[in-house]
Amino acid sequence: MKIQHIEAIPLRIPFTVGGKSDAGAWGGKDLKTVDSLLLKVSTDDGLVGWGESFGFTAVPIVKAAIDAVVAPLCIGRDPALIEKLMQELQRTLHIFGRSGALMFGLSALDIALWDIAGKAAGQPVHRLLGGSDASALSCYASLIRYTDPELVADNVRRALDLGYRRLKLHEIDPACVRAAREAAGDEVEITLDVNCPWSVREALDMARRLQQCNLRWLEEPVWPPENHAGLARLRREGGIPIAAGENASTLMDFAHMLQAQAVDFIQPSPAKMGGITELRKVFALANANNTTVMVHAFYDGPGLLAGIHGSAALGGANALVEWRFFDLEAQLFGDAIVPKNGMMAVPQGPGLGIEPSAEVIRDYRLH
């Protein structure tokens, strides 16, 4: 079996989020559409695997990297030799950088190769990773940034009405976080991802202001994200558990974070940091360092499925799945993994377990 064709497919799907938002680097104020990048890998014996890169405004540069650099190196290669091929590609391309567009593209490729491997074996990916008897995993509603306490409270209540008992906020104003806690009550688990806005001193001050909100974790609080010593200080002195890792790109990045004792929860993002091949190594590394993995999965396609399979097989009873709380006009997988009462089904079909909708790809593809 050989890789015959690789196609990067950009999608743009309209959505609403329950009011005006401030999406920042995702696409600016009051974002109306979500851009994603699928990868279709076809083999000469008819198997097709699907992958996904982290998207939003990065889609054009990742597509260019795949089309011009990654794909030509893969045609004719054996898709079953995943580890060998991915290590060769990382070594070949490292002079162009170990993060960003190229790593995003490699991540999409790796996920697609695991999809092919599962289909060739007639087994779901979680079985290839060691197996899981979980038919569903707990998930949390990951809300966009609203910057308005009233809107935050409204959307917290909306999520609760749909059965969620775990929420993630992306607010940076303590008033918005307090509004969420008041709306949710004391029993709902709330996490806060602030996307690296603060110096260590600012983060310590903010942590003190956020103490009363009873956060499960404070995520990516420090700029720059690779300031592991600063994260470690905040973890020691801030009084709130720390989560980070979605901006880490290589296994060594995660190793350095763990060596610094910088986090309580480590968050590999499979569509950014090398796909399933590297994800399973992070799980092993975290286990050796007594640190909990919470996979970052702020996407809706094969990247999300990769996180579900990895979490089901390797995450244990504490595994949680991130669900982007967007009201998309169309779902790539229909309602197959849309959460019900805060639970998300673990796909049981071969490979990633669900095929993307040809109609959604046709109707929302950017040409």
Side-chain angles (χ1 to χ4, degrees):
M1 183 166 56
K2 304 295 183 186
I3 297 173
Q4 187 174 63
H5 185 64
I6 295 176
E7 182 182 14
I9 303 171
L11 302 180
R12 175 169 290 166
I13 300 179
F15 78 109
T16 60
V17 288
K20 290 187 177 182
S21 62
D22 182 358
W26 305 338
K29 292 184 181 296
D30 205 17
L31 185 66
K32 298 293 187 184
T33 60
V34 175
D35 288 7
S36 59
L37 186 65
L38 302 183
L39 193 67
K40 181 181 181 181
V41 178
S42 304
T43 68
D44 59 0
D45 67 351
L47 288 180
V48 173
W50 292 92
E52 181 181 14
S53 159
F54 193 74
F56 296 101
T57 53
V59 165
I61 57 173
V62 180
K63 185 179 187 308
I66 292 171
D67 291 345
V69 181
V70 175
L73 295 172
C74 298
I75 303 304
R77 302 299 297 270
D78 184 347
L81 303 180
I82 302 175
E83 176 80 27
K84 182 177 187 296
L85 177 57
M86 297 308 299
Q87 286 299 314
E88 181 180 316
L89 290 171
Q90 286 202 35
R91 287 175 175 268
T92 299
L93 300 174
H94 80 275
I95 58 172
F96 304 119
R98 297 277 284 146
S99 62
L102 278 170
M103 188 60 77
F104 292 6
L106 293 179
S107 302
L109 173 66
D110 183 86
I111 293 167
L113 295 181
W114 278 89
D115 191 23
I116 290 171
K119 289 171 178 173
Q123 298 287 343
V125 166
H126 63 75
R127 183 71 62 85
L128 302 186
L129 293 173
S132 173
D133 57 7
S135 60
L137 296 176
S138 296
C139 61
Y140 58 86
S142 191
L143 280 62
I144 204 166
R145 182 175 296 168
Y146 293 99
T147 72
D148 179 334
E150 186 174 341
L151 275 177
V152 172
D154 287 345
N155 284 282
V156 164
R157 286 188 286 265
R158 188 164 66 95
L160 297 180
D161 288 343
L162 291 171
Y164 294 96
R165 289 300 175 264
R166 294 180 174 90
L167 308 172
K168 177 183 282 187
L169 309 177
H170 287 86
E171 306 297 333
I172 55 174
D173 181 350
C176 290
V177 183
R178 288 194 296 270
R181 175 53 74 197
E182 290 169 5
D186 294 333
E187 301 304 315
V188 172
E189 186 174 276
I190 296 179
T191 65
L192 176 63
D193 180 359
V194 292
N195 298 120
C196 309
W198 302 317
S199 69
V200 175
R201 179 68 265 162
E202 290 168 336
L204 285 165
D205 292 341
M206 291 298 290
R208 292 190 180 96
R209 296 176 65 186
L210 293 166
Q211 285 280 353
Q212 62 183 300
C213 297
N214 188 26
L215 297 174
R216 183 70 177 102
W217 70 67
L218 176 60
E219 181 174 336
E220 300 278 2
V222 171
W223 177 260
E226 60 271 23
N227 183 359
H228 300 151
L231 275 178
R233 181 185 172 193
L234 181 61
R235 184 184 177 220
R236 289 192 306 269
E237 300 177 19
I240 301 174
I242 298 298
E246 69 172 271
N247 288 301
S249 297
T250 69
L251 190 64
M252 291 306 300
D253 290 338
F254 292 99
H256 294 156
M257 192 180 303
L258 291 166
Q259 288 162 7
Q261 299 183 337
V263 293
D264 298 278
F265 301 94
I266 199 159
Q267 299 175 295
S269 188
K272 300 174 80 173
M273 47 65 72
I276 295 170
T277 297
E278 300 302 296
L279 180 64
R280 61 178 179 172
K281 297 175 187 177
V282 174
F283 268 99
L285 193 62
N287 287 340
N289 285 272
N290 301 308
T291 303
T292 301
V293 177
M294 289 292 177
V295 176
H296 173 267
F298 201 68
Y299 13 81
D300 303 292
L304 173 58
L305 295 184
I308 295 172
H309 283 279
S311 296
L314 305 170
N318 292 321
L320 295 175
V321 180
E322 182 173 18
W323 175 252
R324 195 161 59 182
F325 194 59
F326 292 1
D327 298 318
L328 288 169
E329 186 173 283
Q331 291 282 353
L332 192 61
F333 302 121
D335 63 356
I337 56 171
V338 174
K340 296 177 177 62
N341 293 317
M343 300 293 292
M344 185 180 293
V346 176
Q348 301 298 320
L352 293 175
I354 314 172
E355 292 296 289
S357 165
E359 290 76 17
V360 171
I361 293 174
R362 179 198 65 207
D363 293 344
Y364 295 96
R365 179 171 183 158
L366 288 173
H367 295 283

